[in-house]
Amino acid sequence: DSGVTQTPKHLITATGQRVTLRCSPRSGDLSVYWYQQSLDQGLQFLIQYYNGEERAKGNILERFSAQQFPDLHSELNLSSLELGDSALYFCASSVDAGGYNEQFFGPGTRLTVL
Amino acid sequence: DQQVKQNSPSLSVQEGRISILNCDYTNSMFDYFLWYKKYPAEGPTFLISISSIKDKNEDGRFTVFLNKSAKHLSLHIVPSQPGDSAVYFCAASGGGGSNYKLTFGKGTLLTVNP
């Protein structure tokens, strides 16, 4: 158990809908990262937050947005969903924004768009 | 453009023998490298890391070697155990600024046969 929790575990929805994925980092970790794992793309970095502020952006679509709240939990919002958004979404956390510390991953949310 | 490559999608070894997983990278700005292990239906689990100022890091049965001139790293598992059977991801970070995202390879499925 990494100490990072993600809810829900599974999500099935229809195209055009909007969903919210939730992540609670390990106690004491200030940074939260979101990754997408689809079948043929491997793990792709989406976005990073550090202590409530956006720190880095990766291959995140404009239809997707995220935020980190004062209690440090984070939410990833996916809107106007398309079939291709079906994937595993992982949240990870680390102590600070520094590169020299490992990220701890949650169990993931499996999103299926029908 | 894949900056971290794991060219072997799968590897099969006998219990007790050495497992060697390889990873190549193209971005010379990467200065921190990590290996993660992933079981089905779970998030990636941190295994071992190495910074670019070192060429070897050891932790129990796991050793990571870094050859900066070749932009190559490898993970050695000795002796291999059936419980090591999982997908292994190589990841890299660096580039300065606030760029602490992890760039992952596509993974190598290791099967350790009893």
Side-chain angles (χ1 to χ4, degrees):
Chain A
D1 183 358
S2 67
V4 178
T5 60
Q6 288 186 251
T7 56
K9 198 170 177 61
H10 300 278
L11 200 47
I12 301 175
T13 188
T15 54
Q17 295 298 305
R18 182 181 191 273
V19 297
T20 298
L21 313 183
R22 183 188 168 103
C23 168
S24 292
R26 290 188 322 157
S27 175
D29 284 359
L30 298 178
S31 261
V32 170
Y33 307 77
W34 286 97
Y35 293 85
Q36 179 192 57
Q37 185 183 25
S38 47
L39 271 174
D40 57 345
Q41 291 295 324
L43 276 153
Q44 300 284 317
F45 169 73
L46 295 178
I47 197 164
Q48 177 203 357
Y49 277 82
Y50 173 73
N51 205 18
E53 293 187 4
E54 181 184 305
R55 269 298 174 93
K57 249 181 177 177
N59 302 320
I60 187 165
L61 299 171
E62 283 190 15
R63 301 184 284 108
F64 296 0
S65 64
Q67 54 184 327
Q68 186 179 29
F69 295 86
D71 67 352
L72 300 177
H73 92 271
S74 177
E75 292 181 356
L76 179 67
N77 300 296
L78 316 176
S79 61
S80 302
L81 285 168
E82 301 175 359
L83 295 177
D85 297 328
S86 296
L88 265 169
Y89 291 84
F90 289 104
C91 166
S93 73
S94 66
V95 171
D96 58 32
Y100 283 68
N101 54 82
E102 58 269 20
Q103 295 175 21
F104 293 87
F105 283 76
T109 293
R110 180 173 292 282
L111 173 66
T112 303
V113 182
L114 301 175
Chain B
D1 176 32
Q2 209 179 337
Q3 298 186 63
V4 177
K5 297 179 186 178
Q6 294 178 256
N7 292 319
S8 298
S10 63
L11 174 69
S12 184
V13 299
Q14 283 299 119
E15 181 178 5
R17 306 296 291 268
I18 184 171
S19 295
I20 300 176
L21 297 106
N22 293 302
C23 177
D24 297 294
Y25 62 96
T26 58
N27 189 340
S28 57
M29 297 297 288
F30 287 146
D31 57 7
Y32 189 60
F33 304 89
L34 309 89
W35 284 93
Y36 282 83
K37 177 169 73 172
K38 186 180 181 303
Y39 294 117
E42 294 183 14
T45 301
F46 170 74
L47 205 52
I48 192 168
S49 63
I50 187 167
S51 101
S52 60
I53 61 173
K54 294 186 173 182
D55 55 19
K56 177 182 173 181
N57 188 26
E58 195 171 349
D59 184 1
R61 296 185 298 113
F62 302 93
T63 303
V64 55
F65 294 93
L66 175 62
N67 182 334
K68 280 188 298 183
S69 61
K71 293 192 179 70
H72 177 84
L73 62 155
S74 61
L75 174 69
H76 292 211
I77 307 174
V78 184
S80 301
Q81 300 173 353
D84 296 329
S85 298
V87 177
Y88 288 78
F89 290 98
C90 170
S93 76
S98 60
N99 191 6
Y100 303 118
K101 68 174 185 177
L102 291 178
T103 301
F104 283 86
K106 292 196 174 182
T108 297
L109 173 63
L110 173 66
T111 303
V112 180
N113 301 301

Short mmCIF file of all heavy atoms in Angstrom, two decimals, chain B residues 5-68:
data_model
loop_
_atom_site.label_atom_id
_atom_site.label_comp_id
_atom_site.label_asym_id
_atom_site.label_seq_id
_atom_site.Cartn_x
_atom_site.Cartn_y
_atom_site.Cartn_z
N LYS B 5 13.18 4.31 -23.80
CA LYS B 5 12.80 3.13 -24.57
C LYS B 5 13.19 1.85 -23.85
O LYS B 5 14.31 1.69 -23.38
CB LYS B 5 13.49 3.13 -25.93
CG LYS B 5 13.11 4.29 -26.82
CD LYS B 5 13.86 4.23 -28.14
CE LYS B 5 13.58 5.47 -28.96
NZ LYS B 5 14.30 5.48 -30.22
N GLN B 6 12.24 0.95 -23.78
CA GLN B 6 12.51 -0.39 -23.30
C GLN B 6 12.22 -1.31 -24.48
O GLN B 6 11.07 -1.53 -24.83
CB GLN B 6 11.62 -0.73 -22.10
CG GLN B 6 11.94 0.13 -20.89
CD GLN B 6 11.03 -0.15 -19.72
OE1 GLN B 6 10.12 0.62 -19.44
NE2 GLN B 6 11.27 -1.26 -19.03
N ASN B 7 13.25 -1.76 -25.11
CA ASN B 7 13.11 -2.45 -26.39
C ASN B 7 12.62 -3.88 -26.28
O ASN B 7 12.21 -4.47 -27.28
CB ASN B 7 14.41 -2.39 -27.16
CG ASN B 7 14.73 -0.97 -27.61
OD1 ASN B 7 13.84 -0.24 -28.04
ND2 ASN B 7 15.99 -0.56 -27.49
N SER B 8 12.70 -4.46 -25.09
CA SER B 8 12.21 -5.83 -24.92
C SER B 8 10.85 -5.80 -24.25
O SER B 8 10.75 -5.49 -23.07
CB SER B 8 13.19 -6.64 -24.07
OG SER B 8 14.44 -6.72 -24.68
N PRO B 9 9.80 -6.16 -24.98
CA PRO B 9 8.47 -6.15 -24.37
C PRO B 9 8.32 -7.22 -23.30
O PRO B 9 7.52 -7.09 -22.38
CB PRO B 9 7.51 -6.44 -25.53
CG PRO B 9 8.31 -6.27 -26.76
CD PRO B 9 9.75 -6.48 -26.39
N SER B 10 9.12 -8.30 -23.41
CA SER B 10 8.99 -9.37 -22.44
C SER B 10 10.33 -10.07 -22.25
O SER B 10 11.22 -10.02 -23.10
CB SER B 10 7.93 -10.37 -22.88
OG SER B 10 8.30 -10.97 -24.09
N LEU B 11 10.43 -10.72 -21.07
CA LEU B 11 11.64 -11.46 -20.71
C LEU B 11 11.22 -12.63 -19.82
O LEU B 11 10.41 -12.44 -18.90
CB LEU B 11 12.61 -10.54 -19.96
CG LEU B 11 13.87 -11.17 -19.38
CD1 LEU B 11 14.80 -11.60 -20.51
CD2 LEU B 11 14.60 -10.18 -18.46
N SER B 12 11.77 -13.79 -20.09
CA SER B 12 11.45 -14.97 -19.29
C SER B 12 12.75 -15.56 -18.74
O SER B 12 13.70 -15.77 -19.50
CB SER B 12 10.71 -15.99 -20.16
OG SER B 12 10.32 -17.10 -19.39
N VAL B 13 12.78 -15.80 -17.42
CA VAL B 13 13.98 -16.38 -16.80
C VAL B 13 13.58 -17.46 -15.82
O VAL B 13 12.42 -17.53 -15.37
CB VAL B 13 14.83 -15.31 -16.07
CG1 VAL B 13 15.31 -14.25 -17.03
CG2 VAL B 13 14.08 -14.71 -14.92
N GLN B 14 14.55 -18.29 -15.47
CA GLN B 14 14.31 -19.35 -14.49
C GLN B 14 14.55 -18.81 -13.09
O GLN B 14 15.44 -17.96 -12.86
CB GLN B 14 15.25 -20.53 -14.73
CG GLN B 14 14.84 -21.42 -15.90
CD GLN B 14 13.47 -22.05 -15.70
OE1 GLN B 14 12.57 -21.80 -16.50
NE2 GLN B 14 13.31 -22.82 -14.65
N GLU B 15 13.79 -19.32 -12.16
CA GLU B 15 13.97 -18.96 -10.75
C GLU B 15 15.41 -19.20 -10.34
O GLU B 15 16.00 -20.22 -10.70
CB GLU B 15 13.02 -19.81 -9.89
CG GLU B 15 13.10 -19.52 -8.41
CD GLU B 15 12.12 -20.36 -7.61
OE1 GLU B 15 11.44 -21.23 -8.20
OE2 GLU B 15 12.02 -20.13 -6.39
N GLY B 16 15.97 -18.25 -9.60
CA GLY B 16 17.34 -18.38 -9.13
C GLY B 16 18.37 -17.78 -10.06
O GLY B 16 19.50 -17.51 -9.63
N ARG B 17 18.00 -17.56 -11.32
CA ARG B 17 18.94 -16.97 -12.26
C ARG B 17 18.86 -15.44 -12.22
O ARG B 17 18.02 -14.86 -11.52
CB ARG B 17 18.65 -17.48 -13.68
CG ARG B 17 18.62 -18.98 -13.83
CD ARG B 17 19.95 -19.62 -13.54
NE ARG B 17 20.96 -19.33 -14.55
CZ ARG B 17 21.20 -20.09 -15.62
NH1 ARG B 17 20.51 -21.19 -15.82
NH2 ARG B 17 22.15 -19.76 -16.47
N ILE B 18 19.72 -14.79 -12.99
CA ILE B 18 19.71 -13.33 -13.05
C ILE B 18 18.72 -12.84 -14.10
O ILE B 18 18.61 -13.42 -15.18
CB ILE B 18 21.13 -12.79 -13.35
CG1 ILE B 18 21.16 -11.28 -13.31
CG2 ILE B 18 21.63 -13.30 -14.70
CD1 ILE B 18 22.58 -10.69 -13.37
N SER B 19 17.99 -11.78 -13.75
CA SER B 19 17.15 -11.08 -14.72
C SER B 19 17.82 -9.75 -15.02
O SER B 19 18.22 -9.04 -14.10
CB SER B 19 15.75 -10.80 -14.16
OG SER B 19 15.04 -11.98 -13.92
N ILE B 20 17.95 -9.43 -16.31
CA ILE B 20 18.53 -8.15 -16.71
C ILE B 20 17.54 -7.44 -17.60
O ILE B 20 17.18 -7.92 -18.68
CB ILE B 20 19.87 -8.35 -17.45
CG1 ILE B 20 20.88 -9.06 -16.56
CG2 ILE B 20 20.41 -6.98 -17.89
CD1 ILE B 20 22.20 -9.37 -17.23
N LEU B 21 17.07 -6.30 -17.11
CA LEU B 21 16.13 -5.49 -17.88
C LEU B 21 16.84 -4.22 -18.34
O LEU B 21 17.54 -3.58 -17.56
CB LEU B 21 14.90 -5.13 -17.03
CG LEU B 21 14.09 -6.34 -16.59
CD1 LEU B 21 14.30 -6.62 -15.13
CD2 LEU B 21 12.61 -6.13 -16.87
N ASN B 22 16.66 -3.88 -19.60
CA ASN B 22 17.40 -2.78 -20.19
C ASN B 22 16.51 -1.59 -20.54
O ASN B 22 15.31 -1.74 -20.79
CB ASN B 22 18.11 -3.26 -21.45
CG ASN B 22 19.20 -4.26 -21.14
OD1 ASN B 22 20.12 -3.97 -20.38
ND2 ASN B 22 19.10 -5.44 -21.71
N CYS B 23 17.15 -0.44 -20.57
CA CYS B 23 16.43 0.80 -20.85
C CYS B 23 17.40 1.78 -21.52
O CYS B 23 18.55 1.91 -21.09
CB CYS B 23 15.91 1.37 -19.54
SG CYS B 23 15.07 2.94 -19.65
N ASP B 24 16.96 2.44 -22.57
CA ASP B 24 17.76 3.45 -23.23
C ASP B 24 17.01 4.78 -23.21
O ASP B 24 15.78 4.80 -23.26
CB ASP B 24 18.02 3.06 -24.70
CG ASP B 24 18.84 1.78 -24.80
OD1 ASP B 24 20.01 1.80 -24.39
OD2 ASP B 24 18.28 0.77 -25.26
N TYR B 25 17.76 5.87 -23.16
CA TYR B 25 17.11 7.19 -23.18
C TYR B 25 17.83 8.09 -24.17
O TYR B 25 18.98 7.85 -24.53
CB TYR B 25 17.07 7.81 -21.78
CG TYR B 25 18.41 8.07 -21.15
CD1 TYR B 25 19.01 9.33 -21.22
CD2 TYR B 25 19.09 7.07 -20.46
CE1 TYR B 25 20.23 9.58 -20.63
CE2 TYR B 25 20.31 7.31 -19.87
CZ TYR B 25 20.88 8.56 -19.95
OH TYR B 25 22.10 8.80 -19.36
N THR B 26 17.12 9.10 -24.62
CA THR B 26 17.71 9.98 -25.63
C THR B 26 17.96 11.40 -25.11
O THR B 26 18.79 12.11 -25.66
CB THR B 26 16.80 10.06 -26.87
OG1 THR B 26 15.49 10.53 -26.46
CG2 THR B 26 16.65 8.70 -27.53
N ASN B 27 17.25 11.78 -24.06
CA ASN B 27 17.36 13.14 -23.56
C ASN B 27 18.54 13.27 -22.60
O ASN B 27 18.51 12.73 -21.50
CB ASN B 27 16.06 13.53 -22.86
CG ASN B 27 15.99 14.99 -22.49
OD1 ASN B 27 17.01 15.68 -22.41
ND2 ASN B 27 14.80 15.49 -22.25
N SER B 28 19.58 13.99 -22.99
CA SER B 28 20.77 14.11 -22.17
C SER B 28 20.54 14.99 -20.94
O SER B 28 21.39 15.07 -20.05
CB SER B 28 21.93 14.68 -22.99
OG SER B 28 21.56 15.92 -23.54
N MET B 29 19.37 15.64 -20.85
CA MET B 29 19.06 16.44 -19.68
C MET B 29 18.52 15.60 -18.52
O MET B 29 18.42 16.08 -17.39
CB MET B 29 18.03 17.51 -20.03
CG MET B 29 18.50 18.51 -21.06
SD MET B 29 19.90 19.47 -20.47
CE MET B 29 19.11 20.52 -19.27
N PHE B 30 18.17 14.37 -18.78
CA PHE B 30 17.69 13.51 -17.69
C PHE B 30 18.82 13.31 -16.70
O PHE B 30 19.97 13.02 -17.08
CB PHE B 30 17.26 12.14 -18.22
CG PHE B 30 15.96 12.16 -18.97
CD1 PHE B 30 15.77 11.29 -20.05
CD2 PHE B 30 14.91 13.00 -18.61
CE1 PHE B 30 14.57 11.29 -20.76
CE2 PHE B 30 13.71 12.99 -19.31
CZ PHE B 30 13.55 12.14 -20.39
N ASP B 31 18.51 13.46 -15.40
CA ASP B 31 19.56 13.28 -14.41
C ASP B 31 19.14 12.41 -13.24
O ASP B 31 19.87 12.30 -12.24
CB ASP B 31 20.06 14.65 -13.90
CG ASP B 31 18.94 15.50 -13.32
OD1 ASP B 31 17.81 14.99 -13.17
OD2 ASP B 31 19.21 16.67 -12.99
N TYR B 32 17.98 11.80 -13.34
CA TYR B 32 17.52 10.92 -12.28
C TYR B 32 16.70 9.83 -12.93
O TYR B 32 15.81 10.12 -13.74
CB TYR B 32 16.70 11.72 -11.27
CG TYR B 32 16.34 10.99 -10.00
CD1 TYR B 32 17.32 10.49 -9.15
CD2 TYR B 32 15.01 10.83 -9.62
CE1 TYR B 32 17.00 9.84 -7.99
CE2 TYR B 32 14.68 10.18 -8.45
CZ TYR B 32 15.67 9.69 -7.63
OH TYR B 32 15.35 9.05 -6.47
N PHE B 33 17.01 8.59 -12.54
CA PHE B 33 16.38 7.46 -13.21
C PHE B 33 15.79 6.52 -12.16
O PHE B 33 16.37 6.32 -11.09
CB PHE B 33 17.41 6.72 -14.07
CG PHE B 33 18.08 7.61 -15.07
CD1 PHE B 33 19.23 8.31 -14.74
CD2 PHE B 33 17.53 7.77 -16.33
CE1 PHE B 33 19.83 9.17 -15.64
CE2 PHE B 33 18.13 8.62 -17.26
CZ PHE B 33 19.28 9.31 -16.91
N LEU B 34 14.65 5.94 -12.49
CA LEU B 34 13.95 5.11 -11.53
C LEU B 34 13.43 3.86 -12.23
O LEU B 34 13.16 3.86 -13.44
CB LEU B 34 12.75 5.86 -10.94
CG LEU B 34 12.97 7.24 -10.35
CD1 LEU B 34 12.79 8.33 -11.41
CD2 LEU B 34 12.01 7.51 -9.20
N TRP B 35 13.28 2.81 -11.46
CA TRP B 35 12.60 1.61 -11.92
C TRP B 35 11.37 1.38 -11.05
O TRP B 35 11.42 1.49 -9.82
CB TRP B 35 13.51 0.38 -11.83
CG TRP B 35 14.54 0.33 -12.91
CD1 TRP B 35 15.82 0.80 -12.85
CD2 TRP B 35 14.40 -0.24 -14.21
NE1 TRP B 35 16.47 0.58 -14.04
CE2 TRP B 35 15.63 -0.07 -14.88
CE3 TRP B 35 13.34 -0.89 -14.89
CZ2 TRP B 35 15.84 -0.52 -16.20
CZ3 TRP B 35 13.56 -1.33 -16.18
CH2 TRP B 35 14.80 -1.15 -16.83
N TYR B 36 10.27 1.07 -11.73
CA TYR B 36 9.03 0.76 -11.06
C TYR B 36 8.59 -0.63 -11.49
O TYR B 36 8.83 -1.06 -12.60
CB TYR B 36 7.93 1.76 -11.44
CG TYR B 36 8.02 3.09 -10.74
CD1 TYR B 36 8.86 4.10 -11.21
CD2 TYR B 36 7.26 3.35 -9.60
CE1 TYR B 36 8.93 5.32 -10.56
CE2 TYR B 36 7.33 4.57 -8.95
CZ TYR B 36 8.17 5.55 -9.44
OH TYR B 36 8.24 6.77 -8.80
N LYS B 37 7.91 -1.30 -10.56
CA LYS B 37 7.35 -2.62 -10.83
C LYS B 37 5.83 -2.47 -10.78
O LYS B 37 5.29 -1.75 -9.93
CB LYS B 37 7.83 -3.60 -9.76
CG LYS B 37 7.28 -4.99 -9.88
CD LYS B 37 8.00 -5.95 -8.94
CE LYS B 37 7.64 -5.75 -7.50
NZ LYS B 37 8.22 -6.82 -6.64
N LYS B 38 5.14 -3.16 -11.68
CA LYS B 38 3.68 -3.03 -11.69
C LYS B 38 3.04 -4.41 -11.84
O LYS B 38 3.29 -5.13 -12.80
CB LYS B 38 3.22 -2.11 -12.83
CG LYS B 38 1.72 -1.84 -12.78
CD LYS B 38 1.30 -0.93 -13.91
CE LYS B 38 -0.20 -0.64 -13.83
NZ LYS B 38 -1.04 -1.83 -13.86
N TYR B 39 2.19 -4.73 -10.85
CA TYR B 39 1.35 -5.93 -10.95
C TYR B 39 0.02 -5.53 -11.57
O TYR B 39 -0.38 -4.37 -11.49
CB TYR B 39 1.10 -6.52 -9.56
CG TYR B 39 2.34 -7.07 -8.88
CD1 TYR B 39 2.80 -6.51 -7.69
CD2 TYR B 39 3.04 -8.15 -9.41
CE1 TYR B 39 3.92 -7.02 -7.05
CE2 TYR B 39 4.16 -8.65 -8.78
CZ TYR B 39 4.60 -8.08 -7.60
OH TYR B 39 5.72 -8.59 -6.97
N PRO B 40 -0.68 -6.48 -12.18
CA PRO B 40 -1.99 -6.19 -12.76
C PRO B 40 -2.94 -5.58 -11.72
O PRO B 40 -2.92 -6.00 -10.55
CB PRO B 40 -2.49 -7.57 -13.22
CG PRO B 40 -1.26 -8.36 -13.43
CD PRO B 40 -0.29 -7.89 -12.40
N ALA B 41 -3.73 -4.63 -12.12
CA ALA B 41 -4.75 -4.00 -11.27
C ALA B 41 -4.16 -3.23 -10.10
O ALA B 41 -4.87 -2.93 -9.14
CB ALA B 41 -5.77 -5.03 -10.78
N GLU B 42 -2.87 -2.93 -10.15
CA GLU B 42 -2.26 -2.10 -9.11
C GLU B 42 -1.49 -0.96 -9.75
O GLU B 42 -1.18 -1.00 -10.94
CB GLU B 42 -1.30 -2.92 -8.26
CG GLU B 42 -1.97 -4.00 -7.43
CD GLU B 42 -0.97 -4.73 -6.55
OE1 GLU B 42 0.17 -4.24 -6.39
OE2 GLU B 42 -1.34 -5.79 -6.02
N GLY B 43 -1.19 0.07 -8.96
CA GLY B 43 -0.36 1.14 -9.47
C GLY B 43 1.10 0.74 -9.47
O GLY B 43 1.50 -0.22 -8.81
N PRO B 44 1.94 1.45 -10.22
CA PRO B 44 3.38 1.16 -10.21
C PRO B 44 3.95 1.34 -8.81
O PRO B 44 3.56 2.25 -8.07
CB PRO B 44 3.95 2.21 -11.17
CG PRO B 44 2.81 2.63 -12.03
CD PRO B 44 1.60 2.55 -11.15
N THR B 45 4.88 0.47 -8.46
CA THR B 45 5.54 0.52 -7.15
C THR B 45 7.01 0.85 -7.35
O THR B 45 7.68 0.19 -8.15
CB THR B 45 5.43 -0.84 -6.44
OG1 THR B 45 4.06 -1.18 -6.29
CG2 THR B 45 6.08 -0.78 -5.05
N PHE B 46 7.49 1.86 -6.64
CA PHE B 46 8.89 2.25 -6.75
C PHE B 46 9.80 1.11 -6.31
O PHE B 46 9.55 0.45 -5.29
CB PHE B 46 9.15 3.49 -5.89
CG PHE B 46 10.61 3.81 -5.75
CD1 PHE B 46 11.30 4.38 -6.81
CD2 PHE B 46 11.29 3.54 -4.58
CE1 PHE B 46 12.64 4.67 -6.69
CE2 PHE B 46 12.63 3.82 -4.45
CZ PHE B 46 13.31 4.39 -5.51
N LEU B 47 10.86 0.90 -7.09
CA LEU B 47 11.78 -0.20 -6.80
C LEU B 47 13.16 0.34 -6.40
O LEU B 47 13.65 0.08 -5.32
CB LEU B 47 11.90 -1.05 -8.06
CG LEU B 47 12.29 -2.51 -7.95
CD1 LEU B 47 11.41 -3.24 -6.96
CD2 LEU B 47 12.18 -3.17 -9.32
N ILE B 48 13.76 1.10 -7.26
CA ILE B 48 15.13 1.57 -7.03
C ILE B 48 15.39 2.75 -7.96
O ILE B 48 14.74 2.88 -9.00
CB ILE B 48 16.15 0.43 -7.28
CG1 ILE B 48 17.53 0.81 -6.77
CG2 ILE B 48 16.18 0.02 -8.75
CD1 ILE B 48 18.50 -0.38 -6.72
N SER B 49 16.30 3.62 -7.55
CA SER B 49 16.61 4.79 -8.38
C SER B 49 18.12 5.02 -8.42
O SER B 49 18.87 4.44 -7.65
CB SER B 49 15.91 6.04 -7.82
OG SER B 49 16.39 6.33 -6.52
N ILE B 50 18.52 5.89 -9.33
CA ILE B 50 19.94 6.26 -9.43
C ILE B 50 20.03 7.66 -9.98
O ILE B 50 19.28 8.04 -10.89
CB ILE B 50 20.72 5.24 -10.30
CG1 ILE B 50 22.21 5.53 -10.25
CG2 ILE B 50 20.21 5.24 -11.75
CD1 ILE B 50 23.06 4.40 -10.83
N SER B 51 20.91 8.45 -9.41
CA SER B 51 21.12 9.79 -9.96
C SER B 51 22.28 9.72 -10.95
O SER B 51 23.09 8.79 -10.92
CB SER B 51 21.40 10.78 -8.84
OG SER B 51 22.75 11.06 -8.73
N SER B 52 22.35 10.71 -11.79
CA SER B 52 23.33 10.69 -12.88
C SER B 52 24.76 10.85 -12.40
O SER B 52 25.70 10.67 -13.16
CB SER B 52 23.00 11.77 -13.91
OG SER B 52 23.03 13.04 -13.30
N ILE B 53 24.96 11.16 -11.11
CA ILE B 53 26.33 11.29 -10.61
C ILE B 53 26.90 9.93 -10.19
O ILE B 53 28.07 9.82 -9.84
CB ILE B 53 26.41 12.28 -9.42
CG1 ILE B 53 25.56 11.80 -8.24
CG2 ILE B 53 25.99 13.67 -9.87
CD1 ILE B 53 25.75 12.65 -6.99
N LYS B 54 26.04 8.91 -10.23
CA LYS B 54 26.49 7.57 -9.88
C LYS B 54 26.42 6.66 -11.09
O LYS B 54 25.74 6.96 -12.08
CB LYS B 54 25.59 6.99 -8.78
CG LYS B 54 25.69 7.70 -7.44
CD LYS B 54 24.88 6.95 -6.41
CE LYS B 54 25.08 7.53 -5.04
NZ LYS B 54 24.33 6.77 -4.01
N ASP B 55 27.11 5.52 -11.01
CA ASP B 55 26.97 4.55 -12.08
C ASP B 55 26.38 3.23 -11.60
O ASP B 55 26.11 2.33 -12.40
CB ASP B 55 28.30 4.32 -12.81
CG ASP B 55 29.41 3.92 -11.86
OD1 ASP B 55 29.11 3.48 -10.73
OD2 ASP B 55 30.60 4.03 -12.24
N LYS B 56 26.16 3.14 -10.29
CA LYS B 56 25.60 1.90 -9.75
C LYS B 56 24.89 2.21 -8.44
O LYS B 56 25.36 3.02 -7.64
CB LYS B 56 26.74 0.90 -9.51
CG LYS B 56 26.33 -0.41 -8.87
CD LYS B 56 27.55 -1.29 -8.64
CE LYS B 56 27.22 -2.53 -7.84
NZ LYS B 56 28.42 -3.36 -7.59
N ASN B 57 23.77 1.54 -8.26
CA ASN B 57 23.08 1.62 -6.97
C ASN B 57 22.48 0.26 -6.68
O ASN B 57 21.87 -0.37 -7.55
CB ASN B 57 21.97 2.68 -7.00
CG ASN B 57 21.39 2.91 -5.62
OD1 ASN B 57 22.05 2.68 -4.61
ND2 ASN B 57 20.15 3.37 -5.55
N GLU B 58 22.69 -0.20 -5.44
CA GLU B 58 22.29 -1.55 -5.08
C GLU B 58 21.33 -1.53 -3.90
O GLU B 58 21.51 -0.76 -2.96
CB GLU B 58 23.56 -2.34 -4.71
CG GLU B 58 23.41 -3.83 -4.64
CD GLU B 58 24.77 -4.51 -4.48
OE1 GLU B 58 25.81 -3.85 -4.63
OE2 GLU B 58 24.77 -5.71 -4.18
N ASP B 59 20.32 -2.39 -3.96
CA ASP B 59 19.38 -2.51 -2.85
C ASP B 59 18.92 -3.96 -2.79
O ASP B 59 18.02 -4.36 -3.53
CB ASP B 59 18.19 -1.57 -3.04
CG ASP B 59 17.23 -1.60 -1.86
OD1 ASP B 59 17.50 -2.33 -0.87
OD2 ASP B 59 16.20 -0.91 -1.90
N GLY B 60 19.57 -4.71 -1.93
CA GLY B 60 19.21 -6.12 -1.81
C GLY B 60 19.47 -6.88 -3.09
O GLY B 60 20.59 -6.85 -3.63
N ARG B 61 18.45 -7.51 -3.62
CA ARG B 61 18.61 -8.29 -4.84
C ARG B 61 18.61 -7.43 -6.10
O ARG B 61 18.82 -7.94 -7.21
CB ARG B 61 17.46 -9.31 -4.94
CG ARG B 61 17.44 -10.35 -3.85
CD ARG B 61 16.35 -11.41 -4.07
NE ARG B 61 15.02 -10.85 -4.07
CZ ARG B 61 14.22 -10.81 -5.14
NH1 ARG B 61 14.64 -11.29 -6.31
NH2 ARG B 61 13.00 -10.30 -5.05
N PHE B 62 18.35 -6.15 -5.96
CA PHE B 62 18.19 -5.25 -7.11
C PHE B 62 19.39 -4.31 -7.24
O PHE B 62 19.79 -3.68 -6.27
CB PHE B 62 16.90 -4.43 -6.97
CG PHE B 62 15.66 -5.28 -6.83
CD1 PHE B 62 15.19 -5.63 -5.57
CD2 PHE B 62 14.99 -5.72 -7.95
CE1 PHE B 62 14.05 -6.42 -5.44
CE2 PHE B 62 13.85 -6.51 -7.83
CZ PHE B 62 13.39 -6.86 -6.57
N THR B 63 19.93 -4.25 -8.44
CA THR B 63 21.02 -3.33 -8.73
C THR B 63 20.71 -2.61 -10.03
O THR B 63 20.31 -3.25 -11.02
CB THR B 63 22.36 -4.09 -8.88
OG1 THR B 63 22.62 -4.82 -7.69
CG2 THR B 63 23.50 -3.10 -9.11
N VAL B 64 20.88 -1.30 -10.01
CA VAL B 64 20.70 -0.53 -11.24
C VAL B 64 22.07 0.01 -11.66
O VAL B 64 22.84 0.50 -10.84
CB VAL B 64 19.67 0.61 -11.08
CG1 VAL B 64 20.02 1.54 -9.94
CG2 VAL B 64 19.51 1.38 -12.37
N PHE B 65 22.36 -0.14 -12.94
CA PHE B 65 23.61 0.35 -13.53
C PHE B 65 23.27 1.45 -14.53
O PHE B 65 22.32 1.34 -15.30
CB PHE B 65 24.33 -0.78 -14.27
CG PHE B 65 24.82 -1.89 -13.37
CD1 PHE B 65 24.03 -3.00 -13.14
CD2 PHE B 65 26.07 -1.82 -12.77
CE1 PHE B 65 24.46 -4.04 -12.32
CE2 PHE B 65 26.51 -2.84 -11.94
CZ PHE B 65 25.71 -3.95 -11.71
N LEU B 66 24.07 2.53 -14.50
CA LEU B 66 23.86 3.63 -15.43
C LEU B 66 25.13 3.87 -16.23
O LEU B 66 26.21 4.04 -15.67
CB LEU B 66 23.49 4.90 -14.65
CG LEU B 66 23.35 6.18 -15.46
CD1 LEU B 66 22.23 6.06 -16.49
CD2 LEU B 66 23.11 7.38 -14.55
N ASN B 67 24.98 3.88 -17.54
CA ASN B 67 26.07 4.21 -18.45
C ASN B 67 25.68 5.47 -19.19
O ASN B 67 24.94 5.44 -20.18
CB ASN B 67 26.30 3.04 -19.43
CG ASN B 67 27.46 3.30 -20.38
OD1 ASN B 67 27.82 4.44 -20.66
ND2 ASN B 67 28.07 2.24 -20.86
N LYS B 68 26.15 6.61 -18.67
CA LYS B 68 25.72 7.89 -19.22
C LYS B 68 26.19 8.10 -20.65
O LYS B 68 25.49 8.68 -21.47
CB LYS B 68 26.21 9.04 -18.34
CG LYS B 68 25.37 9.27 -17.12
CD LYS B 68 25.78 10.51 -16.39
CE LYS B 68 27.19 10.42 -15.91
NZ LYS B 68 27.61 11.61 -15.12
#
